[in-house]
C-alpha cells in the first residue's frame, strides 16, 4: 500500500522513500470512525490510501461539509498545522472503510524543504483544495438549496439509491430537517426521485 503511494506521487528520492518506510505508519478505520477532532492539536498528517473521508465543521446540530478526501489525498487544514502548532478547526469522519497513512507533523515540515517530490505533493494539495473551496463557496452563494440537495443525493447514490435520513441530510447540508423534508417532497413531485422508507431512489 505504501509502495503504491510512493509510485503515484512519483517519489524518486531514495532517502525520502526510506524515511516514509521508517517514520510513517498505516492504520485501518471503519465507517463512522472519527480520525480528526475539532479543537484538538494535530500531531499527525493523515493521508487517505484507500476509502473515503468526510471533512466538516459543526455548529450546534448542523454540519457544513468542507470536502471529501479520496485516495492519495490529505486534509489541507491538517497539512497547514504541520507548519504551525495549532488546533484543528474541523472534524473528519470515515465515510467508507479506510486505510490511512500517518506521518508525524515534524517530518512533514522538514520534508517540504528537503525533497522536491514532497514539496510538489503539498503544493498540489493546497492548490486543489483551494479550487474546491472556491467551487463550494460558489455553490453556497449562487446555487439554490433544492439543486444542491439533488446534486448531493446523486453524488451519494449507490445504484440510484441513497440510504440517509432527512436529519442526516440536513446536518450535512447545513440546514434543518423540516427544510430538507419539504425540498425532497418538491423534488418527488417534479419526478426527480421517489421517497421510500429509510431510503431515497433517484430517478433517471
Amino acid at each position: 500500500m505504501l509502495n503504491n503511494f510512493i509510485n503515484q506521487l512519483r517519489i524518486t528520492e531514495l532517502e525520502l522513500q526510506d524515511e516514509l518506510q521508517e517514520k510513517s505508519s498505516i492504520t485501518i478505520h471503519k465507517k463512522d470512525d472519527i480520525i480528526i477532532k475539532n479543537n484538538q492539536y494535530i500531531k499527525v498528517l493523515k493521508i487517505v490510501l484507500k476509502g473515503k473521508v468526510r471533512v466538516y465543521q459543526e455548529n450546534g446540530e448542523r454540519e457544513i461539509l468542507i470536502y471529501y478526501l479520496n485516495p492519495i489525498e490529505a486534509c489541507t487544514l491538517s497539512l497547514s498545522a504541520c507548519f504551525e502548532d495549532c488546533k484543528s478547526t474541523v472534524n473528519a469522519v470515515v465515510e467508507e472503510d479506510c486505510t490511512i497513512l500517518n506521518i508525524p507533523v515534524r517530518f512533514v515540515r522538514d520534508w517540504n524543504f528537503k525533497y522536491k517530490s514532497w514539496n510538489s505533493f503539498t503544493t498540489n494539495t493546497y492548490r486543489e483544495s483551494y479550487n474546491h473551496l472556491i467551487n463550494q463557496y460558489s455553490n453556497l452563494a449562487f446555487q439554490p438549496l433544492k439543486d444542491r440537495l439533488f446534486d448531493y443525493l446523486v453524488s451519494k447514490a449507490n445504484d440510484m439509491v441513497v440510504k440517509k435520513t432527512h436529519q442526516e441530510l440536513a446536518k450535512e447540508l447545513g440546514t434543518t430537517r423540516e427544510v430538507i423534508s419539504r425540498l425532497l417532497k418538491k423534488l418527488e413531485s417534479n419526478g426527480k426521485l421517489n421517497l421510500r422508507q429509510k431510503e431515497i431512489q433517484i430517478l433517471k
Side-chain angles (χ1 to χ4, degrees):
M1 191 71 74
L2 180 56
N3 287 334
N4 182 56
F5 173 76
I6 289 171
N7 291 335
Q8 289 202 47
L9 261 62
R10 298 179 180 176
I11 295 175
T12 57
E13 299 97 333
L14 295 179
E15 186 179 351
L16 177 54
Q17 293 181 18
D18 291 341
E19 289 207 64
L20 279 165
Q21 295 282 356
E22 178 185 349
K23 295 170 180 174
S24 67
S25 63
I26 292 177
T27 52
I28 306 297
H29 301 270
K30 296 295 184 181
K31 178 176 169 58
D32 296 328
D33 284 354
I34 297 176
I35 60 173
I36 299 174
K37 291 184 179 180
N38 181 53
N39 208 37
Q40 287 191 348
Y41 281 102
I42 297 175
K43 300 299 182 183
V44 175
L45 175 66
K46 295 182 179 294
I47 301 172
V48 178
L49 298 180
K50 181 181 178 182
K52 192 173 187 178
V53 171
R54 177 164 56 90
V55 180
Y56 64 95
Q57 288 187 323
E58 198 168 25
N59 184 358
E61 295 185 354
R62 299 187 185 182
E63 295 178 1
I64 301 297
L65 175 68
I66 306 299
Y67 43 64
Y68 286 102
L69 297 178
N70 296 299
I72 319 300
E73 292 182 349
C75 177
T76 305
L77 299 173
S78 297
L79 184 58
S80 65
C82 298
F83 300 90
E84 181 180 355
D85 190 25
C86 61
K87 294 181 178 180
S88 172
T89 59
V90 299
N91 295 298
V93 62
V94 173
E95 188 84 358
E96 299 172 3
D97 290 358
C98 274
T99 303
I100 301 290
L101 177 66
N102 305 278
I103 305 172
V105 295
R106 64 184 183 277
F107 300 128
V108 175
R109 180 176 55 249
D110 294 341
W111 293 351
N112 211 52
F113 297 104
K114 288 174 63 178
Y115 304 115
K116 182 178 179 180
S117 60
W118 188 260
N119 183 269
S120 295
F121 169 66
T122 58
T123 300
N124 289 337
T125 297
Y126 278 121
R127 185 182 68 250
E128 291 169 6
S129 293
Y130 174 79
N131 290 335
H132 179 79
L133 289 172
I134 289 297
N135 289 333
Q136 286 282 87
Y137 172 78
S138 296
N139 288 337
L140 286 170
F142 304 115
Q143 188 180 30
L145 180 57
K146 176 170 67 68
D147 295 338
R148 284 200 291 122
L149 171 60
F150 184 72
D151 288 346
Y152 186 72
L153 290 171
V154 170
S155 72
K156 303 299 293 181
N158 184 12
D159 292 331
M160 306 299 287
V161 172
V162 179
K163 294 184 178 181
K164 282 185 176 288
T165 67
H166 294 194
Q167 183 61 45
E168 288 173 330
L169 291 170
K171 287 183 67 176
E172 293 168 12
L173 289 170
T175 185
T176 64
R177 182 184 60 78
E178 291 77 13
V179 168
I180 291 296
S181 296
R182 175 169 51 82
L183 292 176
L184 286 172
K185 289 178 181 177
K186 189 171 184 178
L187 287 168
E188 184 178 41
S189 68
N190 291 339
K192 294 289 189 73
L193 50 81
N194 282 332
L195 297 177
R196 299 174 175 176
Q197 188 172 6
K198 297 185 178 180
E199 67 179 32
I200 301 166
Q201 179 190 23
I202 308 296
L203 299 178
K204 294 183 180 180

